[in-house]
Amino acid sequence: MNPKLDVLTPHNSQLIFIDHQPQMAFGVQSIDRQVLKNNTVALAKAARAFNIPTVITTVETQAFSGHTYPELLDVFPGQKILERSSMNSWDDQKVRDALKANGRKKVIVAGLWTEVCNNSFALCAMAEGDYEIYMVADASGGTSKEAHDYAMQRMIQAGVVPVTWQQVMLEWQRDWAHRDTYDAVMAIVREHSGAYGMGVDYAYTMVHKAAERTTGEHEVLAPVPAR
């Protein structure tokens, strides 16, 4: 059997975030950087909702790259950050040990930059660690569209599976009858999924007459024709 035919589940996959740091994001040109952050944080929230073992690793934080997105860190309070000197996360023993301790061969990867940190980690983790790599294309970014696209092509040719953040989350959910994660998934959709999320908000409030998704009351004043 081809293991890549297995659907991603909350029980067979783990996740690694690589270098979602300001200086790395400054160089990204393949995707809008605010969209990149939105997608990254959404993926993190999905991982939390499904209790996916997650690794966060950084490179040269103090000397060059700066601190990981606070919005990402806040999803995982108390999470240990695995600092490195190498551009290739596979070169750091802490990262290898963390992946091994999670005990899952399907590794979902999101990181900066696609053509450097993601590419080198993916190739080495497959060759030396016998991991299956699922690369989250829209929670990763390269220094140009070409850099991102050709790195994705190179990794795909080597056996990496390309995915997107929402695809991963909905694959984990699989069935809307799974009520234990339904509300969390819909909350992520409403906040992070653009027009799809707006449509869910509309359906909840206008069709099902649910309360608006706000944290406080907002009085609506009726129209008054000007005199």
Side-chain angles (χ1 to χ4, degrees), residues 2 18 38 46 134 164 175 179 202 212 223:
N2 181 354
I18 300 175
N38 173 77
Y134 294 76
T164 59
D175 190 333
R179 304 305 297 184
Y202 181 87
E212 292 183 69

Side-chain angles (χ1 to χ4, degrees), residues 4-79:
K4 292 177 184 176
L5 297 179
D6 296 338
V7 173
L8 293 173
T9 76
H11 307 293
N12 69 5
S13 50
Q14 60 173 305
L15 173 63
I16 183 170
F17 290 102
I18 300 175
D19 304 348
H20 284 96
Q21 300 166 266
Q23 185 62 42
M24 305 305 296
F26 294 159
V28 169
Q29 298 293 324
S30 61
I31 183 174
D32 179 88
R33 282 164 281 192
Q34 189 60 42
V35 173
L36 171 66
K37 180 186 278 190
N38 173 77
N39 297 346
T40 301
V41 174
L43 179 64
K45 289 179 178 179
R48 180 181 63 188
F50 289 94
N51 295 314
I52 305 299
T54 299
V55 173
I56 300 175
T57 181
T58 52
V59 65
E60 292 292 298
T61 296
Q62 298 296 332
F64 178 73
S65 299
H67 297 284
T68 300
Y69 301 153
E71 297 89 344
L72 172 57
L73 294 181
D74 283 347
V75 178
F76 304 105
Q79 176 91 19

Side-chain angles (χ1 to χ4, degrees), residues 133-146:
I133 302 297
Y134 294 76
M135 189 62 59
V136 189
D138 60 352
S140 302
T143 54
S144 68
K145 185 176 184 303
E146 290 80 7

Side-chain angles (χ1 to χ4, degrees), residues 90-127:
W90 187 253
D91 291 342
D92 193 281
Q93 190 62 45
K94 298 189 306 298
V95 174
R96 295 192 193 189
D97 291 346
L99 295 172
K100 183 177 181 180
N102 289 334
R104 302 176 181 191
K105 284 298 185 180
K106 295 182 184 296
V107 180
I108 298 162
V109 180
L112 307 178
W113 297 324
T114 318
E115 69 272 26
V116 183
C117 305
N118 293 16
N119 177 79
S120 58
F121 169 78
L123 297 180
C124 291
M126 289 191 300

